[in-house]
Amino acid sequence: MSHDPNCIFCKIIAGQIPSKKVYEDEDLLAFHDIHPWAPVHVLIIPKLHIASMVELTEEHVTLLGRMSVLAPRLMKELGVSNGFRTVINTGPDGGQEVYHLHMHAMGGPRPWLKG
Ligand code: AMP
Ligand code: ZN
């Protein structure tokens, strides 16, 4: 399934739910997390609906690589200059709440809400 009509992030991609976008291209979208844990907190998502890291196969390697390369670029553009954290939560014990693969990229001066 490339798109799940019940998925909140697929709805953001489709423009059915508003988001504060910071980056978009053919394959990826990045937007501010609605409940930030850090002064700067964005989510980087593939436009393809992939529920979690459990679903990943070799065909997704480039996509994941592009998400990883985008994180430091966005942190820099958003003024983060002293390091940042990237997190991908997977499954119930991983604390995943939204089942559309996403990379959290968090930065800015501490203290942070989480961590
Ligand atoms: P996770 O626990 O890794 O699945 O994280 C899901 C993240 O999505 C949480 O940090 C939420 O604050 C964030 N989130 C949920 N709904 C929205 C939304 N409509 N716009 C932006 N961020 C959202
Ligand atoms: Zn989705």
Side-chain angles (χ1 to χ4, degrees):
M1 182 170 26
S2 65
H3 171 93
D4 177 348
N6 298 312
C7 166
I8 187 164
F9 287 175
C10 283
K11 288 181 184 172
I12 286 176
I13 292 162
Q16 293 161 352
I17 290 178
S19 68
K20 284 168 66 183
K21 286 181 196 173
V22 292
Y23 179 85
E24 181 165 18
D25 67 26
E26 202 180 317
D27 303 313
L28 301 179
L29 180 67
F31 52 92
H32 288 279
D33 195 293
I34 204 164
H35 294 127
W37 309 347
V40 177
H41 184 169
V42 299
L43 301 175
I44 300 172
I45 70 172
K47 288 190 171 175
L48 185 66
H49 179 84
I50 302 167
S52 81
M53 285 191 87
V54 172
E55 313 286 313
L56 290 174
T57 65
E58 286 293 326
E59 71 188 79
H60 302 123
V61 166
T62 302
L63 200 56
L64 265 287
R66 293 201 58 235
M67 290 167 67
S68 300
V69 170
L70 185 58
R73 174 180 154 186
L74 293 182
M75 290 294 99
K76 190 176 178 192
E77 286 177 8
L78 293 167
V80 172
S81 58
N82 198 37
F84 57 89
R85 176 180 291 177
T86 49
V87 171
I88 300 177
N89 295 322
T90 305
D93 286 349
Q96 185 174 4
E97 291 173 3
V98 176
Y99 279 78
H100 181 126
L101 182 69
H102 52 281
M103 178 185 285
H104 297 259
M106 295 163 276
R110 288 178 179 272
W112 295 0
L113 189 61
K114 295 191 192 180

